[in-house]
Amino acid sequence: MNGVASAAMRQTADYRVNFGVELPRLKSLAANYPHNHELAQALWKEPVRECRIMATMIEPHDEMRGDMADIWTEDIHTAELAQVASINLFQYIEGAPGKALQWIADDDSIRQLCGLCTAYHLQRRACLDGRQLQELADQAQSLSQSADLAVRRVANNIFSTLTQEVSANNQ
C-alpha cells in the first residue's frame, strides 16, 4: 500500500477500497497470473481500484465481447480506470473500432472517455479505416469543448494528432 497515494486518491476516486498501488507494480503482479476470464471477472466485481485494474490486465482479449465491455464501462467511475481499461483491454476486443465510436457518441462522459482512449490506441495501431478516422476526427472536434476535463483533453489530443497527420499527408 502507498499511503500517500491512497489518501490522495480517496479524495477523488469512487472506490470502496483503494491501496494506491502504482500501475507498474500492478502490471508486474498481473504478469504472474495467466490470462483467465473467471479470475478477471471476479476481480472486476470487487469495487477496489487495484482489483479492477488487474482485471483489465488478465482478461483474455478474445473472451471480452462488446456487450460485456458495455457492462464493464457502467462500472467505471474514474478517468484512470477508463484509460487503463482502454489500453489494456478494450482496444483489442473484436469489433473495437465500432464499439469505440459507439461509446464516443454516448452522452455519458466516462463512456465517451473509454471510446476516445480506445479509438486513440486503435488509430495509433492503424486499425481504423478512412471512414472511421473521419468520424473520430468529427467526434473529437465536437468533444474538444466538453465540460468534462478528461474528455476534453483526450479529444483535443486526438484532433490535434489527426490534423497533423492529414497535413503531413497533404504535403
Side-chain angles (χ1 to χ4, degrees):
M1 177 173 186
N2 182 330
V4 174
S6 177
M9 288 182 193
R10 221 176 276 123
Q11 294 176 8
T12 59
D14 184 26
Y15 296 108
R16 183 178 55 122
V17 177
N18 172 1
F19 296 106
V21 179
E22 298 86 3
L23 291 175
R25 176 78 176 127
L26 291 173
K27 188 174 184 175
S28 175
L29 289 170
N32 295 317
Y33 294 92
H35 286 249
N36 180 291
H37 177 71
E38 289 77 24
L39 178 57
Q41 293 298 313
L43 287 169
W44 187 261
K45 289 178 184 176
E46 294 297 322
V48 177
R49 173 185 172 267
E50 290 75 9
C51 289
R52 292 210 170 152
I53 291 171
M54 294 263 307
T56 71
M57 295 176 179
I58 64 171
E59 173 68 29
H61 303 156
D62 61 340
E63 293 192 38
M64 174 61 72
R65 302 285 178 244
D67 59 341
M68 189 184 315
D70 286 336
I71 292 168
W72 279 37
T73 63
E74 291 173 11
D75 290 334
I76 295 175
H77 302 290
T78 66
E80 177 194 37
L81 188 54
Q83 293 166 345
V84 167
S86 296
I87 195 167
N88 292 336
L89 182 61
F90 295 153
Q91 69 168 317
Y92 300 109
I93 66 173
E94 185 178 328
K99 186 54 69 179
L101 294 171
Q102 176 189 341
W103 289 336
I104 292 169
D106 198 285
D107 291 333
D108 180 74
S109 62
I110 288 292
R111 278 226 172 136
Q112 290 172 342
L113 187 57
C114 287
L116 287 166
C117 291
T118 300
Y120 174 77
H121 293 293
L122 290 167
Q123 182 266 329
R124 290 187 64 207
R125 291 179 31 233
C127 295
L128 300 176
D129 64 29
R131 182 196 59 78
Q132 292 165 333
L133 281 171
Q134 185 59 54
E135 185 174 345
L136 175 58
D138 292 345
Q139 292 286 9
Q141 184 178 24
S142 173
L143 290 173
S144 68
Q145 302 301 316
S146 173
D148 185 276
L149 179 62
V151 169
R152 187 170 62 237
R153 188 181 70 236
V154 175
N156 281 319
N157 186 11
I158 290 171
F159 187 70
S160 174
T161 300
L162 291 175
T163 302
Q164 289 172 5
E165 286 180 12
V166 168
S167 177
N169 289 338
N170 289 336
Q171 291 181 358

